[in-house]
Amino acid sequence: MSDQQTTDVQETMRGRLAELRRDYQRGESQLQQLMRDEAATRDGLLRAGGAIRILEEMLASTAPEPATRRDHVVDGVAPGAAP
């Protein structure tokens, strides 16, 4: 190979190397953003799950007991049942 061909090949490789490094950095940035998004989503799910659990417990503790409810059976017929 001549010196000019060697120089051209090296320049091509340097250009490709620079392009690959930019792509790599872009990929790392995207991955870091995805990891931040994942953590934020996980935190949001944990908060929502905790709130759901609390509300379910509060509703369960304030709901009348089935044995003490009078509206579930009227004259021996459950509401919505066909006569």
Side-chain angles (χ1 to χ4, degrees), residues 31-72:
L31 181 58
Q32 289 172 358
Q33 182 61 48
L34 287 170
M35 291 169 70
R36 286 189 295 270
D37 291 347
E38 179 186 21
T41 301
R42 187 178 299 115
D43 290 345
L45 287 171
L46 286 172
R47 281 193 301 277
I52 288 169
R53 193 171 319 115
I54 289 169
L55 289 173
E56 286 175 342
E57 289 173 6
M58 290 174 68
L59 286 171
S61 69
T62 60
E65 294 294 320
T68 61
R69 288 187 62 185
R70 305 279 302 161
D71 63 345
H72 70 286

Side-chain angles (χ1 to χ4, degrees), residues 9-22:
V9 169
Q10 288 177 342
E11 281 303 310
T12 301
M13 289 190 299
R14 283 189 188 99
R16 182 66 178 135
L17 179 59
E19 183 181 336
L20 288 170
R21 284 182 173 154
R22 284 190 300 273

